[in-house]
Amino acid sequence: MSGSLVLLHLAGAVALLLFATRQVRTGVERAYGDVLRLKLRSILKNPLLAVGAGAALAICLQSATAVALIVGSFAGSGIVGGTAGLLAVLGADVGSSLVVKLLSFDLEVLTPICLVAGTVLFMATSRRDLLQLGRILIGIGLLILSLRLIGEASEPLRESSILPVVVNYLSGDPVTAFLIAAIMTWLFHSSVAAILLVVALAARGLVPAELGVVLVLGANIGGGIIAVVLSRAAPRKARTVPLGNLIMRGAGALLALTAFILVDPPLDLLGATVPEQLVNAHIAFNLALVALGMPLAGLVYRLAERLTEINAPASEDDLATAEISALSEAALDSPAQALANATREVVRVCETVEVMLANIMELYAQADADKIKALAALDDRVDRKHAAIKLYLAKVTSRSLTEQEALRCQELIGACVKLEQVGDIIVRNMLVHVAKKMERGLEFTPEGWRELTGFHASVLANASLAFNVLVSRDPATARQLVEEKDRLRDVEKIASRSHFARLREGTVKSLETSTIHLDTIRDLKQINSLLASIAYPVLEEHGLLKGSRLAAG
């Protein structure tokens, strides 16, 4: 086989590895992302638990980068402390290294099982949770398959006359090898994929242990660069945790590289084979970072804060909150353009409502007067935009419109009214429950809190579907949204029965929080119904709605 064909096969196997990793991460985020984020918010308030939580989330998402971006956004919005957030990301690096360890075992028997089970779930059901579970299983199956393909594709390289020259050169120049690994990891956008590739090549005898350790250290610093690059457009405070993680990982990797070059430690202590030595070296490095990070995290976070302030303009916060209205008066004589402008503005209302809905449960967990005021201020913004959009669309309707344009105009007005109602429910109902819970010092039972957060996560996921339908007008997504409404109705019945069962048992916390619990479920159900109704115009247009029920199909 020619060298170019070998490299093509190897590139294809690596591409499958990257695709499979993303499939698993996407499935977990879509199925359980909201619940994981909600739980992560409360756990991160404890710096010691933050490390374990970060590791667990990285294992679920198969990406320390994703955890760094999530935690960075939490720290940026003040939901968690910066030091605890940095510790969580260090824990995520440990979790990512454990994923590499798990995938280094012989798991080939799982490939057909995961692919068959995942395909059956993905093809045979319309339930979102089962669809995403199918996606996760397919991703795992392809991930394991890609590792075997990498090994097979790299087998002909044993006979290559060029590879020994390259390996010898990199072995004699660890700094260059280190930089190449960092760049390769950044290009892959996955430290897991980069290190698995190195381990797979080492298993074929193509990468010696000493060079492999250098490449692993380079991949670690490359993994830190990914989150910094991806968060470069985020607000300054949200960039601080990823930058702090890069400082910690970068300094640690450079120190470890220097020590490795000077000391030449015995790698036999890390395992009997080269792949074992590389995987265990990766885990040991990240565990050492956590041990050092516990006392130094606060100092590193403050350093990262200083660095992010250097290039940040003094008016950054003002710029972050500045808004330019899309409701251009000049476009009124062109209805198509005017409706596109109105759609842009309604989408902004969707984003504001989504922020309100996403953050309300955090206030249930830990009420804060400043955050309550901030949430109420967002409702004022929704009201202002709602009034402006209605006035603008009223001006549009005074022009000559086609039937389709008139229907779209009514659809946007209806969506805007529903969004304003959702904001009112959050502020006028749910914030009242928050205040009552805070004043009385009440606590939900663990079972009750799980019911509330699970119900809220489903409503938040449906909100994303509703906002997508508003823009894409996709009938399949619209149908899924209304089906989710029916499913949530059943979930509400189950939650109510469980709550009343706890009341009959005389659970004190259930008695104290009964009204708040039931009213919150009711409010969330009403919000979900309003959001689901955004799909009705699309379903009616495609003949998928009969009265108040979905048409068979």
Side-chain angles (χ1 to χ4, degrees):
M1 186 182 295
S2 66
S4 57
L5 194 57
V6 171
L7 293 178
L8 180 62
H9 279 279
L10 185 59
V14 172
L16 182 61
L17 172 63
L18 296 174
F19 174 76
T21 303
R22 174 161 296 223
Q23 283 291 97
V24 175
R25 182 167 69 249
T26 300
V28 173
E29 287 178 342
R30 291 182 179 177
Y32 313 108
D34 295 318
V35 175
L36 290 173
R37 288 183 179 91
L38 194 60
K39 291 185 178 297
L40 189 65
R41 289 178 184 177
S42 57
I43 294 174
L44 287 185
K45 299 182 189 305
N46 184 323
L48 294 175
L49 293 178
V51 174
L57 190 58
I59 292 172
C60 293
L61 297 176
Q62 296 199 355
S63 172
T65 300
V67 179
L69 295 175
I70 292 170
V71 174
S73 67
F74 287 170
S77 59
I79 293 173
V80 300
T83 301
L86 182 53
L87 289 175
V89 178
L90 291 175
D93 296 331
V94 174
S96 178
S97 66
L98 293 177
V99 170
V100 174
K101 179 69 174 179
L102 178 64
L103 293 174
S104 67
F105 294 125
D106 184 5
L107 303 173
E108 282 197 26
V109 68
L110 294 179
T111 299
I113 296 173
C114 289
L115 291 176
V116 171
T119 302
V120 169
L121 285 174
F122 198 81
M123 301 290 291
T125 181
S126 59
R127 280 183 52 184
R128 185 174 62 218
D129 54 345
L130 294 181
L131 278 172
Q132 300 310 323
L133 178 58
R135 183 190 300 275
I136 293 168
L137 290 174
I138 291 172
I140 293 173
L142 292 177
L143 186 57
I144 299 169
L145 176 62
S146 68
L147 295 176
R148 179 167 66 82
L149 292 178
I150 288 174
E152 293 176 355
S154 60
E155 184 66 26
L157 293 176
R158 291 174 181 266
E159 310 301 325
S160 170
S161 58
I162 299 176
L163 185 65
V165 176
V166 174
V167 170
N168 288 335
Y169 173 78
L170 293 177
S171 297
D173 188 354
V175 174
T176 299
F178 179 85
L179 293 175
I180 289 175
I183 294 170
M184 179 182 70
T185 303
W186 175 72
L187 290 174
F188 283 2
H189 270 45
S190 171
S191 60
V192 171
I195 293 174
L196 284 174
L197 175 60
V198 173
V199 171
L201 294 176
R204 299 282 169 168
L206 301 173
V207 174
E210 292 76 11
L211 176 59
V213 171
V214 172
L215 294 175
V216 165
L217 291 175
N220 272 278
I221 195 172
I225 293 171
I226 297 169
V228 171
V229 172
L230 292 177
S231 64
R232 65 188 182 279
R236 177 177 58 80
K237 292 182 179 179
R239 301 196 302 267
T240 308
V241 166
L243 180 58
N245 180 55
L246 176 59
I247 293 171
M248 191 80 77
R249 292 181 80 175
L254 289 173
L255 287 173
L257 177 65
T258 303
F260 185 75
I261 294 173
L262 296 177
V263 177
D264 192 20
L267 297 180
D268 293 342
L269 299 176
L270 294 173
T273 65
V274 174
E276 284 183 24
Q277 292 169 6
L278 300 186
V279 172
N280 292 337
H282 182 41
I283 295 173
F285 171 75
N286 283 287
L287 287 175
L289 277 187
V290 170
L292 291 173
M294 294 294 285
L296 296 177
L299 178 64
V300 172
Y301 183 79
R302 288 191 293 274
L303 173 60
E305 277 187 313
R306 295 278 182 86
L307 293 174
T308 56
E309 289 171 357
I310 292 174
N311 294 321
S315 59
E316 185 189 74
D317 292 336
D318 294 334
L319 290 174
T321 57
E323 292 184 300
I324 300 176
S325 175
L327 305 178
S328 170
E329 297 284 332
L332 287 173
D333 291 330
S334 174
Q337 184 63 44
L339 288 174
N341 289 344
T343 301
R344 286 173 55 194
E345 204 68 9
V346 174
V347 168
R348 290 178 178 174
V349 177
C350 290
E351 292 170 350
T352 304
V353 169
E354 189 169 18
V355 170
M356 295 172 66
L357 185 58
N359 287 282
I360 184 63
M361 292 309 289
E362 172 66 22
L363 295 177
Y364 272 80
Q366 184 173 358
D368 180 277
D370 291 336
K371 292 178 182 178
I372 290 175
K373 291 178 181 178
L375 200 62
L378 289 179
D379 186 52
D380 293 337
R381 183 193 300 178
V382 170
D383 291 342
R384 289 194 303 271
K385 285 187 174 293
H386 171 234
I389 293 168
K390 282 200 302 183
L391 178 61
Y392 187 77
L393 289 173
K395 294 177 181 179
V396 174
T397 56
S398 67
R399 269 64 174 178
S400 177
L401 304 178
T402 66
E403 182 181 357
Q404 185 176 4
E405 288 170 343
L407 289 174
R408 179 59 173 170
C409 191
Q410 291 302 314
E411 183 180 350
L412 290 173
I413 291 174
C416 205
V417 169
K418 294 177 179 70
L419 292 169
E420 193 262 347
Q421 291 173 338
V422 170
D424 286 344
I425 292 172
I426 293 173
V427 171
R428 298 178 185 177
N429 294 359
M430 299 183 75
L431 277 186
V432 172
H433 306 329
V434 168
K436 185 185 298 184
K437 180 177 178 291
M438 178 175 63
E439 291 168 2
R440 299 180 182 178
L442 302 177
E443 292 293 335
F444 293 108
T445 62
E447 297 83 359
W449 182 240
R450 279 197 298 270
E451 290 170 1
L452 287 177
T453 53
F455 201 88
H456 170 263
S458 296
V459 174
L460 188 58
N462 289 343
S464 296
L465 285 179
F467 303 152
N468 289 341
V469 168
L470 187 62
V471 177
S472 70
R473 308 194 83 252
D474 174 49
T477 307
R479 185 181 183 90
Q480 181 185 353
L481 179 59
V482 177
E483 288 173 344
E484 281 294 309
K485 176 186 174 182
D486 294 336
R487 185 184 70 84
L488 270 189
R489 187 185 301 119
D490 297 333
V491 173
E492 182 218 4
K493 292 177 182 177
I494 294 172
S496 296
R497 284 198 296 267
S498 299
H499 178 72
F500 284 117
R502 291 193 296 273
L503 290 180
R504 286 193 299 270
E505 293 170 0
T507 304
V508 176
K509 287 185 178 180
S510 292
L511 292 169
E512 292 175 339
T513 60
S514 178
T515 301
I516 297 176
H517 182 103
L518 294 175
D519 286 350
T520 299
I521 291 288
R522 180 204 62 201
D523 292 335
L524 288 171
K525 181 185 175 185
Q526 188 177 355
I527 289 172
N528 191 72
S529 297
L530 287 167
L531 294 171
S533 64
I534 291 176
Y536 291 166
V538 177
L539 294 172
E540 288 176 354
E541 182 180 322
H542 290 81
L544 296 174
L545 200 65
K546 290 183 178 179
S548 61
R549 305 294 297 173
L550 280 172

